[in-house]
Amino acid sequence: MNTQFANRALALLLALWLTGCGKADVPAAPHADTPGHAEAAEPAKGPHGGRLLTDGDFAVELAIFEDGVPPEYHAWASVGGAPVPLAEVQLTVTLARLDGERNVFRFQPQNDPGSVSGAGFLRGDGTVTEPHSFDVTVEAEYAGTTHRWDYQSHEGRVQIAPDSAQTAGIETEAAGPRLIHDVLPLYGRVVVAPEAVREVGARFPGVIRELRKSVGERVRAGEVLARVESNDSLRVYDVTAPIGGVVTARMANPGQQAGAAPLLTVSDTTQVWVELAVFPRDVPRVRPGQAVRLAGADGSPTGSGRIARIAPAGGAGNPALTVWASIDDAGSAWTPGLYVTAEVLTGGGEVPLAVRAAALQAFRDFTVVFARVGDTYEVRMLELGRSDGEYVEVLGGLKPGTEYVTAQSFLIKADIEKSGASHDH
């Protein structure tokens, strides 16, 4: 981990320790030992495991039921602990979400076949979509009296001051339409570009008197590589390097006769390409100019490029076609002979909604991003479609235009987990 990254992470965690988490299921209660100090209290539970809301003798137990069905509200009403006729209870639950959306649920009596007493429950008329993070208003009318409760039920939510977010390197962007490419995986190796390779030979036949360079040695353009004595004139002349680079082959030695065959090969290893093999079935998908993502066989180095050339046919005994990809900003890490994996972006189409793949995090049993509303960050559970490795199609769980965290999202997740935010209703 580099120093700048570590300092950002430390600054964010310190800021979050000071500002605290945004989760609160019930209003804070005074601490028993220190007047004015507040801590979260666990909500009272009813016999069915739901939240128990009381107003005098009247009580409503409210729970989100999600055992084998999409999440839905179930409720039970009682007076003095005794069940009341459910048909006489008018119950409404209103959820106010962080982004301003409001969900209203009305309830109808349902029989409970699992109950020995034959009692039933009140069932909400819709699905409680994720995240289950909202401000809740419950209104119940029974026997001419209206009862109301307001409370917070937040999960996967945290507040971060803007200066702390900036210090930590948190970045966001709006979710929207994107071009999702089709990806063709290929394999190959780094080679010197053909125009950066020169075979060096004698101008006139004769005896090699000196051969000054060996394989692996660097040479400068114009540097003397060999001296040859001409058979005709018996004069010794210089053989110089046509380009600067590295000697990659030596085919002769002093005392030998120089003729038409080359003496040395000089390669400029700073000019490299990636040579890739394409199977016949995939040939129609490859075109010059297509973008390519590159990585060494062990994951490093990484880079990008484009398809530069395509061989007209496969080699003898090998039906695979050879293509060459350029490397953008090729540095010393891209050495000839390095084996690489490549992803050619061959096509695809625009999807209505997508997010960056780097923004995705695991949260409970979901893949999520973290939406930003003001200074508050909250989880969004996603249904995902196809991906090209850079962007992922979103099929559900996120509204178009939502601002979401694209960089340092794991810090948001870490603070939510540190706060102990639970899936509690």
Side-chain angles (χ1 to χ4, degrees), residues 183-189 274-283 285-287 290-295 307 320-325 339-346:
V183 177
L184 174 64
L186 299 176
Y187 303 91
R189 62 189 181 94
V274 174
E275 186 178 85
L276 303 167
V278 182
F279 288 107
R281 67 175 181 273
D282 296 320
V283 168
R285 302 173 60 186
V286 181
R287 295 286 185 274
Q290 289 172 328
V292 183
R293 291 195 294 258
L294 302 167
I307 297 297
L321 196 69
T322 300
V323 302
W324 292 271
Y339 286 95
V340 300
T341 61
E343 293 179 332
V344 183
L345 307 184
T346 62

Side-chain angles (χ1 to χ4, degrees), residues 40-63:
E42 286 295 324
K45 299 291 186 180
H48 302 88
R51 181 187 292 268
L52 188 62
L53 307 170
T54 60
D55 185 9
D57 289 339
F58 183 76
V60 169
E61 181 184 351
L62 184 66

Side-chain angles (χ1 to χ4, degrees), residues 17-77:
W17 175 262
L18 295 174
T19 57
C21 172
K23 178 183 185 293
D25 283 334
V26 296
H31 192 279
D33 299 324
T34 308
H37 179 75
E39 64 178 10
E42 286 295 324
K45 299 291 186 180
H48 302 88
R51 181 187 292 268
L52 188 62
L53 307 170
T54 60
D55 185 9
D57 289 339
F58 183 76
V60 169
E61 181 184 351
L62 184 66
I64 293 181
F65 183 79
E66 46 189 335
D67 186 7
V69 297
E72 61 184 24
Y73 272 121
H74 289 187
W76 298 263

